[in-house]
């Protein structure tokens, strides 16, 4: 008998635990039944049941766009997330994230659900400029079809056409900063295709914008603007003249047209004192240098920091590329630029008697 009592004592805690579990289950079932009854009563009384909470997104908006996670994008939409919001760290909208991630489907989804095709990054750049920088023609095509503003500039005044002219070294350096793997030939081919897409838009705008005409080398458009009364010695916000812009981009015929129309060949930049000759020499545009010299450009003129055109031509490639990057102007490839610089040194040396 005592052994039975001892067994009963030993089993008592376990029995109590099993009983407590049963009570918990009964309580849970009772609570669930109560909720059903309350819900039914509310519906009978015309009171809607509590709303079902919206699902929590698996990732943030920008990551979802960058990897093409349409399901998570839809979740963000259902929760009222602003599709044009900028990433708190990188300052880009989801549309740019989709472009950088080469996610055409995500970009299409964003546009279809109201994302602004002209949304800007923290520095004022557009998704079209991002596509141009990366040479992503399919993304650019989608944006153009959606009515993107091809004339938009970033906070530094850079256009999509200038973005297309970014040299490979700068492109690759920026890509490495963001852990992007780019192939030089693929980027070049993509940019060429984007240039062809933009050509009709360029022609239309250049006929009314002499700055665009000069920078893009559109000779007919430059003449059209001049015939309509455009001032050939006007300056942009950086204090540069149209002649300097033509020199920067290596458009010798445009430079000749501007000079024929009365452009001042020795006009100085209002911010640094440099002339069009300085710009052409710095970037190795030998034909522009010839055109300017033939029109009376003075090779002895120095900029505000004391530099002459021949000194600019003698700068090495790393310095040239670095300065061009700071100014956000196209530098071209090393071989052609340095060959052009060597030719410029000869031209200016002969003019200066050196």
């Amino acid at each position: 008998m005592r052994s039975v009592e001892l067994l009963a004592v030993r089993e008592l805690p376990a029995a109590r635990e099993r009983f407590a579990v049963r009570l918990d289950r009964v309580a849970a079932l009772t609570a669930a039944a109560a909720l059903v009854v309350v819900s039914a009563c509310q519906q009978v009384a015309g009171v809607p049941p509590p709303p079902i909470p919206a699902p929590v997104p698996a990732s943030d908006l920008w990551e979802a766009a960058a990897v093409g996670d349409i399901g998570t994008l839809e979740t963000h939409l259902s929760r009222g997330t602003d599709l044009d919001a900028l990433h708190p760290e990188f300052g880009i909208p989801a549309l740019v994230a989709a472009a950088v991630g080469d996610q055409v489907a995500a970009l299409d989804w964003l546009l279809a659900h109201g994302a602004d095709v002209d949304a800007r990054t923290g520095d004022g750049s557009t998704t079209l400029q991002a596509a141009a920088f990366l040479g992503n023609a399919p993304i650019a095509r989608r944006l153009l079809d959606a009515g993107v503003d091809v004339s938009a500039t970033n906070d530094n005044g850079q256009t999509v056409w200038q973005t297309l002219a970014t040299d490979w070294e700068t492109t690759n350096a920026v890509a490495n900063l963001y852990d992007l793997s780019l192939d030089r030939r693929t980027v070049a081919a993509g940019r060429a295709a984007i240039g062809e897409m933009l050509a009709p838009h360029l022609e239309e705008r250049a006929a009314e914008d002499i700055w665009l005409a000069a920078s893009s080398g559109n000779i007919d458009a430059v003449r059209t603007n001049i015939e309509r009364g455009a001032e050939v010695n006007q300056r942009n916000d950086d204090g540069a003249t149209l002649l300097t812009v033509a020199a920067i981009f290596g458009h010798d015929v445009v430079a000749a047209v501007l000079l024929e129309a009365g452009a001042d060949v020795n006009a100085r930049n209002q911010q640094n004192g440099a002339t069009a000759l300085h710009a052409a020499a710095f970037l190795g545009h030998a034909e522009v240098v010839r055109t300017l010299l033939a029109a009376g450009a003075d090779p002895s003129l120095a900029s505000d920091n004391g530099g002459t055109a021949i000194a600019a031509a003698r700068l090495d490639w790393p310095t040239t590329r670095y300065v061009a990057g700071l100014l956000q102007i196209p530098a071209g490839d090393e071989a052609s630029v340095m060959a052009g610089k060597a030719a410029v040194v000869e031209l200016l040396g002969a003019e200066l008697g050196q």
Side-chain angles (χ1 to χ4, degrees):
M1 183 64 178
R2 185 169 182 78
S3 62
V4 174
E5 290 174 352
L6 290 173
L7 180 62
V9 169
R10 285 196 296 268
E11 291 294 331
L12 183 59
R16 286 175 178 171
E17 184 176 347
R18 287 194 296 272
F19 183 68
V21 170
R22 290 194 186 98
L23 286 178
D24 288 342
R25 289 175 179 170
V26 170
L29 290 172
T30 302
L35 286 176
V36 171
V37 171
V38 170
S39 178
C41 291
Q42 287 176 332
Q43 291 178 3
V44 170
V47 179
I52 299 174
V56 178
S59 64
D60 65 44
L61 176 69
W62 306 277
E63 181 181 346
V67 300
D69 186 349
I70 304 299
T72 297
L73 290 175
E74 290 175 342
T75 301
H76 277 287
L77 183 66
S78 70
R79 294 178 66 89
T81 302
D82 180 4
L83 298 182
D84 294 322
L86 299 185
H87 190 282
E89 180 180 357
F90 300 114
I92 62 171
L95 209 60
V96 169
V100 173
D102 192 23
Q103 299 296 334
V104 176
L107 184 128
D108 287 342
W109 185 95
L110 288 164
L111 291 173
H113 289 83
D116 183 2
V117 70
D118 293 314
R120 306 297 189 99
T121 65
D123 70 352
S125 297
T126 66
T127 308
L128 182 60
Q129 287 176 311
F133 179 80
L134 298 169
N136 194 322
I139 292 289
R141 178 75 273 165
R142 294 301 205 283
L143 296 169
L144 289 170
D145 290 343
V148 68
D149 181 6
V150 299
S151 65
T153 61
N154 63 19
D155 293 347
N156 292 316
Q158 188 178 50
T159 66
V160 65
W161 289 281
Q162 289 172 294
T163 302
L164 287 173
T166 306
D167 64 89
W168 170 248
E169 286 77 9
T170 302
T171 300
N172 196 42
V174 172
N176 288 336
L177 286 176
Y178 293 96
D179 293 325
L180 299 175
S181 180
L182 300 179
D183 176 73
R184 183 171 187 171
R185 291 183 179 179
T186 301
V187 171
R191 286 181 176 177
I194 295 172
E196 292 179 5
M197 296 178 198
L198 292 172
H201 302 276
L202 181 63
E203 290 286 339
E204 182 179 340
R205 285 199 59 248
E208 300 177 355
D209 184 346
I210 193 170
W211 289 98
L212 179 56
S215 63
S216 62
N218 192 323
I219 301 165
D220 292 336
V222 170
R223 290 195 173 108
T224 298
N225 279 280
I226 292 173
E227 290 170 359
R228 292 175 177 171
E231 169 56 54
V232 295
N233 284 307
Q234 61 180 288
R235 298 173 184 272
N236 61 17
D237 293 339
D238 296 323
T241 64
L242 287 163
L243 190 61
T244 296
V245 168
I248 287 172
F249 287 93
H251 301 317
D252 56 302
V253 179
V254 170
V257 171
L258 292 169
L259 290 166
E260 290 170 4
D264 182 356
V265 71
N266 289 314
R268 296 173 178 270
N269 184 295
Q270 293 176 327
Q271 294 186 6
N272 56 37
T275 66
L277 188 63
H278 282 88
F282 171 68
L283 294 166
H285 296 314
E287 290 305 315
V288 177
V289 169
R290 288 190 180 92
T291 299
L292 295 173
L293 290 174
D298 184 354
S300 68
L301 293 178
S303 63
D304 292 347
N305 64 10
T308 60
I310 197 168
R314 285 172 173 157
L315 291 173
D316 60 22
W317 171 245
T319 304
T320 301
R321 180 167 60 87
Y322 175 73
V323 173
L326 289 179
L327 298 176
Q328 291 197 331
I329 57 178
D333 65 275
E334 180 178 2
S336 60
V337 170
M338 296 312 294
K341 279 175 168 284
V344 169
V345 169
E346 289 186 14
L347 288 169
L348 294 178
E351 194 75 14
L352 293 166
Q354 296 181 5

